[in-house]
């Protein structure tokens, strides 16, 4: 079955996600902020959910149409081929978003879409009441500039939830963003990767998973595994491929933190992620790390806001790591933070700054290539 699929991501990760989709062998159709549409099939649903590091969810696109009124939303939704996917006993709840559109009431849009899907199902199955006791097909609408797109979620739990991080400290960085930061720093086998303020260890763990070839979704469940039109063998083969692609590496990552509870949590997470063999977790003060002549890269998410007492303490920490990290030259440094004046307190301008989002929180990745 030829399908249009939609992979969503955090704003700023579209380029990385697009490259991943193409690496899987699929053709991109369009890219807008936070979502990429591409062509695929049933196998693509399995491979995308298991292998994409930067995607938040993967959807089946059922259709798109102009919707400036509730009547247009109803008729456009009704004419789509919902029974091709949803059985007469299956559940089909509705949720969605509307941006810069005439139809802005989400509850009203939900009700209209639900009624239209019921009408479509009634026309196919000849019944008016649906038990919705079977497999769950989560319908999601996205209305942007009066263009409605109707989709079915194949992921279930968001893809950034890999499964290894059962617990976390305050203000954790999302796994998909951590993977993007790690990728941007270009991890290599002959260069030590060090997160000296590791928290729950997410950045170092994502870098290690990348270097070992561990597919981020190989050990978790997806909503589409229950869909009747996708054969179980497709999921089995995709997982076998994921496990076959894991490989040994000489890459090494350090994950350190001054907080002993963070160290204990990072150790646990690294073990659950299957990377404890190449991620060394220990307690250490980021302001006192030393390099001993080894090539390395610092990648970290320093405490900010609720992760550390007062704003003054945060800014003092930025000053102190700015002085110390410069003494580690020629190491490169990658720091992500949402503090608007980070460079001023750190003590120098970044060589490159990239705007990213942790959920809906804007933040900046400061990249220092010549750490002097």
């Amino acid at each position: 079955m030829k399908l249009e699929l939609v992979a969503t991501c955090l704003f700023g990760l579209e380029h990385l996600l697009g490259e991943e989709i193409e690496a899987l062998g699929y053709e991109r159709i369009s890219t807008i902020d936070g979502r990429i549409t591409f062509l695929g099939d049933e196998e693509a649903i399995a491979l995308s959910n298991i292998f994409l590091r930067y995607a938040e969810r993967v959807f089946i696109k059922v259709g798109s149409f102009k919707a400036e009124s509730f009547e247009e939303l109803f008729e456009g939704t009704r004419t789509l081929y919902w029974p091709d996917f949803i059985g007469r006993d299956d559940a089909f709840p509705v949720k969605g978003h509307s941006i810069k559109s005439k139809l802005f009431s989400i509850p009203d849009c939900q009700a209209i879409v639900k009624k239209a899907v019921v009408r479509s199902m009634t026309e196919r199955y000849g019944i008016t009441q649906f038990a919705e006791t079977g497999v769950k097909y989560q319908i999601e609408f996205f209305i942007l500039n009066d263009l409605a797109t109707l989709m079915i979620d194949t992921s279930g739990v968001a893809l950034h939830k890999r499964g290894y991080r059962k617990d976390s400290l305050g203000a954790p960085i999302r796994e998909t963003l951590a993977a993007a930061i790690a990728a941007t720093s270009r991890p290599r086998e002959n260069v030590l990767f060090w997160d000296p303020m590791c928290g729950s260890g997410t950045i170092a763990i994502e870098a290690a998973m990348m270097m070992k070839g561990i597919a981020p979704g190989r050990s978790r469940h997806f909503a589409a595994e229950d869909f009747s039109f996708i054969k179980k063998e497709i999921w089995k083969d995709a997982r076998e491929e994921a496990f076959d692609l894991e490989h040994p590496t000489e890459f090494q990552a350090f994950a350190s933190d001054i907080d002993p509870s963070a160290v204990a949590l990072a150790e646990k997470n690294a073990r659950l992620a299957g990377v404890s063999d190449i991620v060394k977790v220990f307690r250490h003060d980021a302001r006192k790390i030393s390099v001993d002549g080894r090539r390395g890269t610092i990648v970290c998410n320093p405490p900010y806001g609720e992760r550390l007492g007062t704003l003054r303490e945060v800014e003092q920490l930025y000053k102190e790591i700015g002085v110390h990290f410069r003494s580690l030259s020629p190491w490169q440094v990658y720091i992500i933070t949402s503090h608007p004046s980070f460079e001023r307190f750190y003590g120098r301008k970044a060589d490159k700054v990239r705007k990213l989002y942790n959920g809906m929180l804007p933040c900046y990745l400061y990249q220092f290539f010549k750490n002097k």
Side-chain angles (χ1 to χ4, degrees):
M1 184 189 300
K2 204 66 175 178
L3 299 167
E4 283 190 42
L5 302 176
V6 178
T8 59
C9 64
L10 297 174
F11 292 164
L13 304 191
E14 295 86 0
H15 177 69
L16 287 170
L17 176 57
E19 289 180 341
E20 277 195 308
I21 290 169
E22 291 179 344
L24 287 177
Y26 301 114
E27 177 188 352
R28 274 192 275 179
I29 299 174
S30 64
T31 301
I32 63 174
D33 287 348
R35 59 188 59 217
I36 294 175
T37 304
F38 62 103
L39 290 176
D41 52 16
E42 294 93 331
E43 183 184 42
I45 293 173
L47 292 176
S48 298
N49 276 293
I50 290 171
F51 281 95
L52 294 180
R53 292 188 192 281
Y54 312 111
E56 294 296 316
R57 293 183 181 276
V58 177
F59 296 91
I60 298 168
K61 179 180 173 182
V62 183
S64 291
F65 50 86
K66 199 75 172 177
E68 296 182 340
S69 67
F70 288 129
E71 182 179 358
E72 288 179 332
L73 180 61
F74 181 89
E75 286 302 318
T77 302
R78 182 190 65 79
T79 57
L80 298 178
Y81 299 107
W82 298 103
D84 286 354
F85 302 102
I86 306 172
R88 61 189 297 153
D89 295 322
D90 294 332
F92 47 99
V94 177
K95 63 182 179 180
H97 306 275
S98 180
I99 302 172
K100 300 177 181 177
S101 299
K102 294 180 177 67
L103 300 179
F104 56 84
S105 170
I106 301 304
D108 288 338
C109 289
Q110 283 178 295
I112 293 295
V113 169
K114 183 72 175 186
K115 289 178 182 177
V117 176
V118 168
R119 178 71 64 82
S120 175
M121 301 273 284
T122 295
E123 291 169 358
R124 168 70 69 88
Y125 295 118
I127 56 177
T128 57
Q129 298 293 322
F130 294 89
E132 298 198 49
T133 56
V135 174
K136 178 181 175 182
Y137 290 79
Q138 178 66 62
I139 296 172
E140 184 156 329
F141 62 84
F142 179 64
I143 308 176
L144 175 64
N145 295 322
D146 299 319
L147 181 68
T149 299
L150 277 295
M151 305 173 292
I152 296 172
D153 179 20
T154 71
S155 300
V157 175
L159 297 181
H160 72 265
K161 296 184 178 180
R162 322 290 206 206
Y164 66 78
R165 199 169 72 178
K166 306 295 185 183
D167 303 298
S168 62
L169 301 173
I173 192 169
R174 194 171 289 193
E175 292 90 327
T176 42
L177 179 57
I181 295 167
T184 302
S185 72
R186 298 179 301 116
R188 288 149 285 171
E189 287 193 331
N190 60 341
V191 179
L192 175 64
F193 184 103
W194 194 341
D195 182 353
M197 289 172 275
C198 70
S200 55
T202 311
I203 295 176
I205 289 170
E206 290 291 330
M209 290 176 65
M210 197 178 303
M211 295 301 289
K212 287 188 72 171
I214 296 177
R218 71 180 192 183
S219 298
R220 51 155 290 183
H221 180 81
F222 305 98
E225 291 188 63
D226 300 323
F227 291 1
S228 60
F229 64 92
I230 305 179
K231 294 179 181 178
K232 301 298 182 184
E233 289 78 7
I234 288 177
W235 291 98
K236 180 176 177 290
D237 292 345
R239 281 203 171 83
E240 287 179 355
E241 180 180 345
F243 279 96
D244 287 344
L245 289 174
E246 183 181 347
H247 54 79
T249 178
E250 297 299 317
F251 173 78
Q252 186 179 28
F254 284 178
S256 61
D257 203 287
I258 199 171
D259 181 358
S261 62
V263 172
L265 185 55
E267 284 181 328
K268 175 184 176 183
N269 291 342
R271 184 172 64 255
L272 291 173
V275 295
S276 57
D277 56 328
I278 60 171
V279 177
K280 181 181 179 182
V281 184
F282 54 97
R283 187 181 183 187
H284 203 70
D285 188 335
R287 296 162 292 190
K288 298 177 181 178
I289 64 175
S290 58
V291 299
D292 298 326
R294 188 174 180 182
R295 290 184 64 199
T297 300
I298 292 174
V299 187
C300 63
N301 173 30
Y304 179 62
E306 64 266 40
R307 291 182 64 214
L308 189 73
T310 66
L311 184 60
R312 181 172 296 180
E313 289 176 310
V314 170
E315 292 167 351
Q316 181 60 34
L317 174 64
Y318 292 167
K319 291 178 182 178
E320 292 173 5
I321 63 172
V323 172
H324 185 63
F325 287 180
R326 285 195 295 277
S327 73
L328 304 179
S329 181
W331 281 34
Q332 294 186 350
V333 177
Y334 295 76
I335 299 176
I336 188 164
T337 178
S338 58
H339 192 295
S341 303
F342 169 77
E343 289 169 302
R344 177 162 63 90
F345 291 100
Y346 187 76
R348 61 157 292 194
K349 297 283 287 183
D351 297 301
K352 187 175 181 180
V353 181
R354 183 175 174 183
K355 187 176 183 179
L356 298 169
Y357 285 79
N358 189 20
M360 295 305 295
L361 176 68
C363 49
Y364 297 87
L365 179 61
Y366 297 93
Q367 304 170 53
F368 301 91
F369 305 133
K370 299 175 182 178
N371 191 31
K372 294 181 180 179

